[in-house]
């Protein structure tokens, strides 16, 4: 009787490339954009990483497809670091012209300044710190996924994130002190702690 039940059990469904990789192309692009600092190089990285993922898909043993693909994207970026390193960031017309009509000019200016300040601060961090922050804070990867993507122990992920957040906070506070009047520094430090913590 049990052999008859086993015969009728549904066969194991193997995930397809489309199921594993395609949902994570945007996350791959965002990671590549931060690592290469250039949108065109990021597109090239994602294309190359997708081809690598397709070529080696038979080695995917199941599990977390996002972590698997982001690891390929990360390795592609690092493998072609010289080729994919940008000299300058191109002007992003869409990002800079997307004004909300209900916001007053001062609020818009503060948001833009804060976003630019955070982006500059993240870009000034060492590669490993930048990668950890981007994957955790912007892509929302869990500690386990981070460990898989970066091929490091989970304890190293946790301590690295702590050091990366401290470094980011330090850069933001230093920049704030250089660019803000003395009376606004305390307020800016409070806002930085809200963002970083």
């Amino acid at each position: 009787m049990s052999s008859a039940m086993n015969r009728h059990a549904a066969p194991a469904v193997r995930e397809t490339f489309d199921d594993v990789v395609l949902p994570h192309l945007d996350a791959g692009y965002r990671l590549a954009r931060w690592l290469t600092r250039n949108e065109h190089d990021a597109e090239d990285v994602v294309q190359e990483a997708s081809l690598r993922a397709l070529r080696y898909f038979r080695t995917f043993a199941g599990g977390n497809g996002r972590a698997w693909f982001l690891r390929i994207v990360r390795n592609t970026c690092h493998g072609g670091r010289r080729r994919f390193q940008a000299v300058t960031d191109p002007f992003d017309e869409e990002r800079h012209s997307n004004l909300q009509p209900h916001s007053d000019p001062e609020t818009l200016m503060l948001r833009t300044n804060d976003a630019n300040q955070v982006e500059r601060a993240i870009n000034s961090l060492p590669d490993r710190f930048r990668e950890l922050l981007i994957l955790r804070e912007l892509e929302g990867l869990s500690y386990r996924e981070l460990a898989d993507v970066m091929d490091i122990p989970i304890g190293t992920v946790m301590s690295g994130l702590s050091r990366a957040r401290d470094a980011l906070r330090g850069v933001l506070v230093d920049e704030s002190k250089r660019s803000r009047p003395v009376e606004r520094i305390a307020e800016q430090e409070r806002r930085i702690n809200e963002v970083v913590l």
Side-chain angles (χ1 to χ4, degrees), residues 100-117:
Q100 299 171 1
H102 63 276
S103 296
D104 63 273
E106 182 182 10
T107 302
L108 289 172
M109 184 186 76
L110 289 174
R111 275 192 209 142
T112 302
N113 286 342
D114 287 347
N116 289 337
Q117 183 181 16

Side-chain angles (χ1 to χ4, degrees), residues 41-188:
D41 287 346
E43 291 168 359
D44 291 345
V45 164
V46 172
Q47 183 176 5
E48 187 174 328
S50 297
L51 290 172
R52 286 181 182 181
L54 180 61
R55 185 178 312 127
Y56 297 106
F57 187 70
R58 69 184 179 284
T59 66
F60 178 66
N64 190 325
R66 178 171 68 162
W68 182 75
F69 182 64
L70 291 178
R71 185 174 187 176
I72 294 171
V73 169
R74 180 179 177 268
N75 290 341
T76 302
C77 283
H78 289 304
R81 176 65 77 183
R82 291 187 231 295
R83 191 175 76 200
F84 294 120
Q85 207 152 28
V87 177
T88 60
D89 285 337
F91 181 76
D92 186 348
E93 180 74 35
E94 187 176 308
R95 187 176 113 205
H96 295 289
S97 65
N98 189 15
L99 299 178
Q100 299 171 1
H102 63 276
S103 296
D104 63 273
E106 182 182 10
T107 302
L108 289 172
M109 184 186 76
L110 289 174
R111 275 192 209 142
T112 302
N113 286 342
D114 287 347
N116 289 337
Q117 183 181 16
V118 170
E119 185 173 348
R120 279 192 311 273
I122 289 174
N123 282 329
S124 74
L125 296 175
D127 290 346
R128 189 168 190 131
F129 286 174
R130 189 172 61 246
E131 290 174 17
L132 283 166
L133 287 171
I134 290 162
L135 290 169
R136 176 67 179 162
E137 306 303 338
L138 301 180
E139 293 302 325
L141 267 65
S142 68
Y143 290 148
R144 170 55 39 214
E145 290 171 323
L146 271 170
D148 291 345
V149 168
M150 298 188 72
D151 196 25
I152 56 177
I154 201 164
T156 304
V157 166
M158 294 166 64
S159 62
L161 270 171
S162 177
R163 287 193 307 272
R165 289 176 179 136
D166 287 345
L168 178 61
R169 184 180 301 108
V171 170
L172 288 170
V173 167
D174 287 348
E175 185 173 317
S176 171
K177 287 178 181 177
R178 283 193 306 272
S179 64
R180 305 268 191 233
V182 175
E183 60 273 3
R184 294 187 56 202
I185 289 175
E187 173 62 20
Q188 184 69 16

